[in-house]
Amino acid sequence: MKKTAIALSLIFFAAAVHALALQKLAISAEVSDNGTASIVENYELAFENISEKIRFIDNAQKNSSSMLAWKADYSFFYPHFEATDNRVIRSSITFEQGTNTITLEYDLEKPLMTVVKDAARETLYEFSGKQLNSFIKDGLIVIPNNAEISITLPKKAQIIGQNAVPQVETAQTKITIKPLTTSHISIQYSIQKPIQTKVNSLELIQDFFADSANLAVIIAALIALAIIFWKKDDIEGKIEDYIVKHSEIAQGGTEEEVELQV
């Protein structure tokens, strides 16, 4: 009887988990100047009844911030920008009961954007279908009807080209990807580099003294100055003697020339 009750309980829980539905997925990425990104994924859930929500809350508390536990329990939950060659390095997971929303925040090990060209005056980046690998099905990029992706580029970014896909919208430095099915997505933008880099005088001084060769020259110069200062009187005396001696020689030579003329 007890085993039967446990089995029925497990079946009921499995059915409740199966009934849980992902109502909306909103993914946003904040991109930095070097192409890295901080990503937030919001999963808005739909529950059939209050009992189902209570069971989910208990499970959420048990899973806490364990990515593996959440992924094991809910197939729809995973970092969508993670790839085999670009893993998540830090993450946090929270559940807001008022809005029935799971929030996943994470950073990737490598930049999200691909460098196309790095020139002297600008760096050209690209966001392409490669970054949407988790949405690729049978060779096509499929953003489902309940999902939307927004990407905020750096303030100084300039979007310079994209393929003609109506569901991919660009406005100033924001890219919005709405539900679509396509074979290719490519958006390129550039980051201008400053003409001149400001020089930090303090850093230059530190670098100068950090150089052992420069330090040796400074020490030698200080020792020479110390010796000169220490023997200043002796040096001044010798200079005076030299001047007097040569002055007397000059005067003696003049007198001899006068006597010869007489």
Side-chain angles (χ1 to χ4, degrees):
M1 187 71 180
K2 186 175 180 180
K3 291 182 178 179
T4 303
I6 293 174
L8 289 173
S9 177
L10 290 173
I11 293 171
F12 180 80
F13 180 75
V17 171
H18 181 71
L20 176 67
L22 174 61
Q23 188 165 329
K24 183 179 179 182
L25 171 62
I27 303 175
S28 62
E30 191 83 20
V31 182
S32 65
D33 289 351
N34 63 357
T36 59
S38 295
I39 302 164
V40 178
E41 300 188 4
N42 288 310
Y43 300 76
E44 186 178 326
L45 307 178
F47 300 99
E48 285 191 348
N49 51 56
I50 188 65
S51 298
E52 183 182 58
K53 182 175 180 178
I54 291 173
R55 283 190 292 271
F56 177 84
I57 292 172
D58 290 340
N59 207 34
Q61 291 175 345
K62 179 192 70 176
N63 290 344
S64 185
S65 288
S66 171
M67 182 83 71
L68 291 175
W70 279 96
K71 289 168 70 175
D73 287 343
Y74 306 101
S75 60
F76 61 79
F77 183 89
Y78 57 92
H80 286 75
F81 278 127
E82 185 178 44
T84 53
D85 60 345
N86 198 5
R87 295 296 187 183
V88 171
I89 54 174
R90 61 180 65 87
S91 64
S92 66
I93 304 170
T94 57
F95 176 66
E96 175 57 48
Q97 297 183 33
T99 59
N100 296 335
T101 301
I102 310 170
T103 298
L104 167 62
E105 300 182 42
Y106 61 93
D107 294 330
L108 296 172
E109 182 181 11
K110 301 175 183 177
L112 177 64
M113 301 302 181
T114 303
V115 176
V116 177
K117 182 178 68 174
D118 190 12
R121 293 294 304 277
E122 69 174 4
T123 302
L124 185 63
Y125 293 92
E126 182 184 31
F127 178 82
S128 66
K130 178 183 177 182
Q131 282 82 354
L132 296 171
N133 184 63
S134 63
F135 291 98
I136 295 178
K137 297 179 180 179
D138 299 326
L140 295 175
I141 303 168
V142 180
I143 308 298
N145 291 330
N146 64 343
E148 184 172 296
I149 301 170
S150 64
I151 302 168
T152 303
L153 302 176
K155 291 182 179 179
K156 55 185 179 181
Q158 294 182 347
I159 298 175
I160 60 175
Q162 70 175 85
N163 60 316
V165 180
Q167 296 86 350
V168 179
E169 301 174 357
T170 58
Q172 295 181 344
T173 58
K174 188 172 182 179
I175 303 168
T176 303
I177 304 174
K178 296 182 177 181
L180 58 76
T181 299
T182 184
S183 60
H184 180 67
I185 289 179
S186 176
I187 304 168
Q188 293 187 351
Y189 68 93
S190 66
I191 297 289
Q192 297 294 318
K193 294 180 180 180
I195 296 174
Q196 289 183 339
T197 305
K198 293 182 179 178
V199 178
N200 189 322
S201 57
L202 180 58
E203 289 181 357
L204 287 177
I205 293 171
Q206 290 175 341
D207 290 342
F208 180 82
F209 280 100
D211 192 317
S212 59
N214 292 334
L215 186 60
V217 171
I218 293 170
I219 293 173
L222 291 174
I223 293 173
L225 288 173
I227 293 172
I228 291 171
F229 182 79
W230 179 48
K231 295 190 174 184
K232 181 182 67 173
D233 294 339
D234 186 35
I235 292 171
E236 288 177 352
K238 289 182 177 180
I239 292 172
E240 290 177 359
D241 292 343
Y242 179 85
I243 293 171
V244 171
K245 181 178 179 180
H246 283 75
S247 296
E248 290 176 351
I249 292 171
Q251 291 173 3
T254 304
E255 290 175 359
E256 288 175 0
E257 290 176 359
V258 172
E259 290 175 0
L260 288 172
Q261 289 176 0
V262 174

